[in-house]
């Protein structure tokens, strides 16, 4: 820890803001960074892409399972990923932070380090925020992005005949969560994947350039998130499960926990991989992996796996 | 209530999102509204202004004192006000919402109505959001704005010789909070001011056009917020208390509670009025009221009231 050993309450709101702000360099394009009523960003494209998420301790993360830097990385990643899924490049993050006064201020500094380092992967900056008191740690994260002239890729453009493909890891984070939930800390690769997802940041803009008709990031799980695409586009999506190569860590977790490892791939969220639909004539480059087809919806738009509705976990529902 | 009588948990995440989204019309300039990974907004100016706040039930609002629509209005107002204080016009709001599953879904719909109606005052739209489960209601609100070619007005440009002026009501919201805290519900005017602040939305851009050198919105209180301007600009700010006209409701609350009503004006927050510094040659139009001067800092930058440090409440500290 790099902190002062003081609690947030001892440091005070303004001391905490100063300590955090000092750790957040501002990149080119930030015309006015933290410290005023609002930040000002250059927007070359004439459009800005914006998304927000609210993360609550105990529900979206646990301090026992992830350190502050991990939590910062992941909170940034899941919002940067939403920008990625539009075909845009993230430019800025704003973070509203609620913390208990007895929290060590070093924890908040490490959180800021994690946010900063994840942002640095895409050239974005943490340009603003807010701190306040809360009984559990709460993070309200907003990401902004730049389409750089590209057409935004929504969820509603999938066409029958399109190929469905994914980029990035699938199932690793949920396999990690499964082992942590059972009190284990290994395989390390999946636990690390739960703590720090690795969204394929280059692939959102890449897919847009390739002509993707629809795209979504996988926060809730492949079948669940493709369900949003199917409903928004009014199509059926047919996934072929043999398209997936099940990596060793997933096989290991499946064997150890007595569960089908394909379930992590099809139903597990939080890897922030991308799923996109492409016209059949598009030649898909690495790392895109074709996993199925878009077809006409016969009845309700839906996602089928090997020709049948998927019976596993079909996406996360926050109020269940 | 316009709700279904169902709880948020019964309606479910996707049902709740659909019910809320249906209440949020999108204005011109919103290229892609709610329902995708991110929203897309037109930005004519080449720059975007962005600010975020986190609001926690019990700390920033109470359901016993404000209804859902009031809370929506106020949550929007305090963020739109930050955009206003830069000299920009708000264009969009994004709202991350954490709610307990047992909350009536109609409450959330009324919250959305309040957000929408406050945004409509300035022509902004609620373009995106997120809902999740939380033990107490939490709102992560982000506002975006357009400078329309104006120079952003920060906190660091105040110059010795400038006139300090305010626009909007001062002290009304904190007088309202004071009576509510003591179990009263009147005077109605101040209670309403606490529930629904009325930021002077036209005056931020107006002040920028008039040549304001520094501007801040009054969320924490006049002396506290001008303290940020004094420190950022390296100046002293001298307020003359006789410049203020104490309106009858403030006099009534002062008399009823046995406190000095000027304390609400100097130390009370949450009215989201504006304070700005202007070169002396600027002729200040209505509703701007000159209340003091910027002078050279002799020693630490500070705010003096009638020549002395202000001994009352000097701004809100979230961890006190």
């Amino acid at each position: 820890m790099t902190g002062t050993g003081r609690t947030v309450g001892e440091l005070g709101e303004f001391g905490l803001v100063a300590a955090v702000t000092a750790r957040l360099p501002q990149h080119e394009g930030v015309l006015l960074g933290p410290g005023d009523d609002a930040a000002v960003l250059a927007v070359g494209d004439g459009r800005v892409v914006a998304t927000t998420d609210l993360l609550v301790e105990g529900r979206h993360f646990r301090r026992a399972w992830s350190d502050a830097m991990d939590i910062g990385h992941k909170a940034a990643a899941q919002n940067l990923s939403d920008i990625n899924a539009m075909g845009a490049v993230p430019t800025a993050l704003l973070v509203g932070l609620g913390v208990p006064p007895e929290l060590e201020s070093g924890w908040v500094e490490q959180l800021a380090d994690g946010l900063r380092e994840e942002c640095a992967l895409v050239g974005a900056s943490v340009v603003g925020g807010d701190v306040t008191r809360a009984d559990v740690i709460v993070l309200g994260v907003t990401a902004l992005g730049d389409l750089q002239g590209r057409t935004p890729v929504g969820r509603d453009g999938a066409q029958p005949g399109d190929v469905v493909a994914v980029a990035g890891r699938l199932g690793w984070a949920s396999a990690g969560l499964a082992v942590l939930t059972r009190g284990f800390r290994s395989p390390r690769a999946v636990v690390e994947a739960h703590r720090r997802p690795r969204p394929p940041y280059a692939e959102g803009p890449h897919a847009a350039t390739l002509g993707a008709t629809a795209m979504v990031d996988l926060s809730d799980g492949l079948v669940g998130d493709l369900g949003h695409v199917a409903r928004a586009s009014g199509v059926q999506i047919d996934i072929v499960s043999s398209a997936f190569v099940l990596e060793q860590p997933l096989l290991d977790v499946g064997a150890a926990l007595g569960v089908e490892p394909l379930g992590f791939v099809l139903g597990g969220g939080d890897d922030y991989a991308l799923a996109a639909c492409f016209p059949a004539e598009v030649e898909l480059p690495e790392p895109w992996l074709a996993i199925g087809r878009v077809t006409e919806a016969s009845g309700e738009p839906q996602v089928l796996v090997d020709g049948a509705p998927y019976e596993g976990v079909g996406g996360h529902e926050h109020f269940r």
Side-chain angles (χ1 to χ4, degrees), chain A:
Chain A
M1 299 291 269
T2 58
T4 54
R6 288 197 287 172
T7 68
V8 164
E10 286 162 357
L11 197 58
E13 178 185 355
F14 300 115
L16 186 66
V17 168
V20 167
T21 304
R23 306 174 92 84
L24 300 173
Q26 301 298 308
H27 295 97
E28 206 189 315
V30 181
L31 304 176
L32 186 65
D36 218 299
D37 295 297
V40 183
L41 276 182
V43 181
D45 175 270
R47 299 165 296 175
V48 66
V49 184
T51 183
T52 199
D53 270 324
L54 190 71
L55 311 180
V56 181
E57 180 177 14
R59 188 141 191 94
H60 298 93
F61 59 87
R62 286 168 193 263
R63 275 186 269 169
W65 291 350
S66 300
D67 66 25
M69 205 141 155
D70 289 334
I71 294 167
H73 270 278
K74 189 168 182 171
Q78 79 170 75
N79 280 275
L80 301 176
S81 173
D82 281 318
I83 300 295
N84 194 32
M86 300 305 292
V89 172
T91 52
L93 217 63
L94 296 104
V95 182
L97 174 65
V99 287
E102 63 274 16
L103 185 70
E104 213 265 320
S105 63
W107 194 94
V108 178
E109 294 176 21
Q110 299 261 315
L111 177 84
D113 288 348
L115 293 165
R116 180 193 65 227
E117 290 188 14
E118 191 71 20
C119 281
L121 295 175
V122 293
S125 306
V126 182
V127 299
D130 178 39
V131 295
T132 191
R133 183 176 173 152
D135 290 336
V136 297
I137 297 173
V138 182
L139 281 156
V141 185
T142 299
L144 304 179
D146 183 357
L147 284 159
Q148 299 175 330
R150 290 178 293 273
T151 301
V153 185
R155 299 176 171 190
D156 61 352
Q159 298 288 335
D162 284 353
V163 171
V164 181
V166 294
R169 301 192 297 200
L170 280 84
W172 289 51
S174 69
L177 182 60
V179 303
L180 285 166
T181 304
R182 284 161 180 82
F184 303 118
R185 302 263 164 172
S186 68
R188 190 154 180 82
V190 297
V191 170
E192 279 303 310
H194 164 77
R195 290 177 176 150
R196 293 198 193 179
R198 292 191 207 157
Y201 289 122
E203 296 308 318
H206 190 191
T209 304
L210 288 168
T213 56
M215 184 156 52
V216 70
D217 76 322
L218 304 181
S219 50
D220 294 344
L222 179 68
V223 172
D225 285 317
L226 279 178
H228 299 312
V229 173
R231 284 187 296 276
S233 300
V235 297
Q236 178 169 303
I237 291 177
D238 289 292
I239 296 175
V240 181
S241 68
S242 61
F244 297 102
V245 179
L246 291 171
E247 293 99 340
Q248 196 59 46
L250 299 187
L251 296 172
D252 292 346
V253 176
L257 305 182
V259 298
E260 177 52 61
L262 187 65
F264 296 126
V265 173
L266 295 173
D270 275 7
D271 284 303
Y272 307 105
L274 292 172
C277 303
F278 296 92
E281 64 271 22
V282 172
E283 210 160 309
L284 289 177
E286 287 276 331
W288 289 92
L289 174 72
I291 59 159
R293 284 275 178 181
V294 178
T295 57
E296 299 274 356
S298 56
E300 286 295 298
Q302 60 179 334
V303 178
L304 300 183
V305 177
D306 302 331
Y310 179 63
E311 302 291 336
V313 180
H316 191 70
E317 221 295 354
H318 280 296
F319 296 106
R320 249 185 230 147

